[in-house]
Each structure stands twice: as structure tokens, then as C-alpha cells.
Amino acid sequence: TFTPEEPLAGGTTFTALIEAGLEDTTGGVLAEDYEWSFSTQPPEVVWVTPYEDEVLVGVDTSVQVAFNMPIDCDTATQAFHLSTTRDTISGEFACQGATLTFTPTERLAFDTKHSVLIEAGVQSAGGGEGMRQDYDWRFTTVPLPRIVSTNPKDGEQDAWSYTDFEITFNTPIDPATVMPNLEM
């Protein structure tokens, strides 16, 4: 068994050779050279968050991209792009093993479709051929909150006097922020 000290380069063909003359434990000798080759996988995206077509994504979220192997951080950050139809989003990167994390420097826009692109060429930590194809996906951030209905309904004339009062919002709401802003 041969175990390399560093990870093998992704997307690379290797050739191995065992020279003739190798002896086994009984004295038998390898008569001819034995040569074979194999190729390693190139880097590929295997998981992302926010997920493809996810909605109601928080405006303070980070984007994470997991690859099938440890990646070269420089090529991954150069290949990463987060944008809307009008703006390119700037931010900071962190790489840890096979995961790239992008944290925007400002909150994302509310109720906006965002596109993420990882361009082909991201290399493994060991170098070699880069990712062969672009990988892209979209997600949509949460809308600004608004009330879509109440119970009892607005203007209702004969609501039961012991009824609960319900407010339905268009998006998840932090309950701690509702009561200080409610007046009856």
C-alpha cells in the first residue's frame, strides 16, 4: 500500500509502475514491469445553502458551498459570484477543507431573487484540473412583513366576546416584536 503524503491533484491521470525484479516472501520474482494508470475526480459542488430555489431566506444569511474534496481557496473565491439582476454582492470568504463560505458585507435585499455562480476551474487543494462545469443556482430572500389577515376580520360586527385575536403575516415573524407594536 502506498499512501501519498499530500492529497492527489483532482482531475489528474496518474501512472504507477512496479519494476521487474520485485521478490515475494517465498523467493518468487516479478518477471516484467507492471504499469497501470488511473484518474482522480475533479472538484464538483455536492451541496449548497441556501438551497436551490429556496424562498424566505434571511437577509443576513451566508452562502455555503461544499465540494467533493478539499479545494484551493484562491481559485474557489475567484470563481464565486453572488448577484441580483441589478447588483453584484460583495463579501468575505472563508475556506475550510471542502467548504467555501461567503458572508455578505451588507444585508441582502428583501424579497429579491439572488443568483449564485461558481465558475468552472475551481481546483482541488492538491492542484490538477479544475472543476469542469459551472454550477449555478438561485434563492429568494424574505419579503418585508405585512399583515395578510386577522381573526376576527376587519369590521366584523358579531365576534364572540371571548375570542382569541389572531394576526397572519406573509412571512415568519419574531413574536417578541409583535406585542410591543400592537395597540387595541
Side-chain angles (χ1 to χ4, degrees):
T1 301
F2 170 76
T3 304
E5 292 179 8
E6 299 292 325
L8 296 176
T12 303
T13 300
F14 292 89
T15 301
L17 171 70
I18 299 175
E19 295 179 351
L22 178 72
E23 292 186 32
D24 68 15
T25 56
T26 65
V29 176
L30 182 64
E32 302 176 355
D33 289 350
Y34 183 82
E35 182 176 303
W36 79 99
S37 63
F38 63 93
S39 297
T40 55
Q41 294 180 328
E44 292 180 2
V45 174
V46 294
W47 177 83
V48 295
T49 183
Y51 307 112
E52 170 77 36
D53 296 325
E54 186 173 351
V55 294
L56 302 179
V57 174
V59 294
D60 56 355
T61 194
S62 293
V63 177
Q64 289 188 334
V65 183
F67 293 85
N68 61 337
M69 63 186 64
I71 51 151
D72 172 67
C73 194
D74 290 337
T75 60
T77 58
Q78 290 171 10
F80 182 94
H81 306 281
L82 173 61
S83 61
T84 65
T85 54
R86 290 180 288 207
D87 299 311
T88 297
I89 311 298
S90 60
E92 298 177 358
F93 293 97
C95 292
Q96 185 172 7
T99 303
L100 171 69
T101 302
F102 175 80
T103 304
T105 50
E106 295 182 13
R107 286 180 136 186
L108 300 175
F110 284 96
D111 200 16
T112 302
K113 184 172 278 192
H114 292 75
S115 298
V116 186
L117 169 65
I118 307 292
E119 294 176 336
V122 175
Q123 291 185 322
S124 71
E129 179 185 347
M131 194 169 82
R132 292 180 181 149
Q133 297 178 5
D134 292 350
Y135 187 91
D136 64 324
W137 76 101
R138 282 144 295 292
F139 64 89
T140 305
T141 51
V142 294
L144 287 169
R146 65 181 171 83
I147 296 172
V148 294
S149 68
T150 60
N151 187 18
K153 292 180 173 47
D154 185 28
E156 189 169 327
Q157 297 296 312
D158 48 349
W160 187 49
S161 57
Y162 292 100
T163 191
D164 292 334
F165 182 73
E166 297 174 10
I167 303 171
T168 304
F169 293 90
N170 65 327
T171 188
I173 296 292
D174 179 358
T177 64
V178 175
M179 294 311 290
N181 293 295
L182 181 64
E183 227 178 87
M184 290 187 76

